[in-house]
Amino acid sequence: MNWIVFDYGDVLSKPSAARPELAAKLGAPLPEFERAYWDLRIPYDAGSTPLEYWQTVGDALGRPVDEALSDELTRIDVEGWAHLEPSSKDLLEALAEAGASLALLSNAPSVFGEWVREQDWARLFQVTLFSGDVRCVKPDAKIFELLLEQLGAEPGDCLFFDDRQSNVDGARAVGLKAQLWNGAEAARAWLG
């Protein structure tokens, strides 16, 4: 069986527009907030709790974060990433209709994985794997090995699309075919 595996953020989804609102909730200038948001994200994507993540971000910005604020920040953050790119959704639907086996592999916290699995479009995927659930992140070889185990597939049976070259390189190092994401039309042409 051949699998087509997609990343989520900035591949299937539109870029999140929530960061200005998140920065405002923390009373921080946007550039400082964005630096903390991304620099401190890997542990969150690797399984730490939302409260742990937002408290770490808050500490970096000199703003205490309690559970209520953490819940609000988490809701805003999830909603920010919740918008599928229409062309990506069309591609997924066409591939599913053609009988392709689809999987989703994303560096994202467990709380986001829970949200995805509740969406109607998640049914297009036979497997969804989020880094927060397995406590390791791309481009670590372990996450690709866990994916292959869940798919019951050999590396050469999988084509992986991601918007980050480091993740494409990590997939290739494990033996997956991997392509840098340049939009749904480019992927459609590449899939031929």
Side-chain angles (χ1 to χ4, degrees), residues 4 21 30 41 48 50-51 57 71 76 79 87-88 94 131-133 144 153 160 163-164 166 179:
I4 305 171
E21 183 179 359
L30 185 58
R41 189 84 177 185
S48 71
L51 182 60
V57 170
D71 290 347
I76 295 166
E79 287 175 4
S87 60
S88 296
S131 59
D133 295 335
F144 294 108
F160 175 60
D163 63 311
R164 293 188 182 188
S166 60
Q179 187 69 25

Side-chain angles (χ1 to χ4, degrees), residues 5-6 10 15 61 74 76 83 88 92 100 118 121-122 133-134 136 144 158 184 186:
V5 183
F6 293 90
D10 297 331
L61 299 170
T74 300
I76 295 166
H83 306 284
S88 296
L92 291 175
E118 294 172 356
W121 53 263
D133 295 335
V134 295
C136 64
F144 294 108
C158 301

Side-chain angles (χ1 to χ4, degrees), residues 39-49 52-53 132 135 137:
D39 288 353
L40 303 170
R41 189 84 177 185
I42 289 176
Y44 188 32
D45 286 347
S48 71
T49 68
E52 290 167 333
Y53 172 64
R135 301 191 166 273
V137 297

Side-chain angles (χ1 to χ4, degrees), residues 142-177:
K142 181 180 175 186
I143 198 165
F144 294 108
E145 291 161 1
L146 290 167
L147 172 71
L148 292 169
E149 187 179 301
Q150 285 199 18
L151 300 179
E154 294 298 317
D157 295 334
C158 301
L159 172 61
F160 175 60
F161 287 102
D162 198 293
D163 63 311
R164 293 188 182 188
Q165 188 64 50
S166 60
N167 295 337
V168 169
D169 294 342
R172 288 177 178 162
V174 176
L176 281 76
K177 296 174 225 161

Side-chain angles (χ1 to χ4, degrees), residues 9 27 47 73 119 125 167 174:
L73 294 167
Q119 305 312 301
F125 296 99
N167 295 337
V174 176

Side-chain angles (χ1 to χ4, degrees), residues 3-8 12 84 92 101-134 138 143 146-152 160:
W3 289 88
I4 305 171
V5 183
F6 293 90
D7 176 39
Y8 181 81
L12 299 181
L84 280 189
L92 291 175
S101 297
L102 303 177
L104 177 62
L105 175 63
S106 181
N107 281 353
S110 295
V111 68
F112 187 76
E114 292 167 10
W115 177 85
V116 165
R117 291 182 183 112
E118 294 172 356
Q119 305 312 301
D120 287 341
W121 53 263
R123 65 178 167 66
L124 299 170
F125 296 99
Q126 284 86 348
V127 170
T128 57
L129 182 64
F130 292 90
S131 59
D133 295 335
V134 295
K138 298 176 292 180
I143 198 165
L146 290 167
L147 172 71
L148 292 169
E149 187 179 301
Q150 285 199 18
L151 300 179
F160 175 60

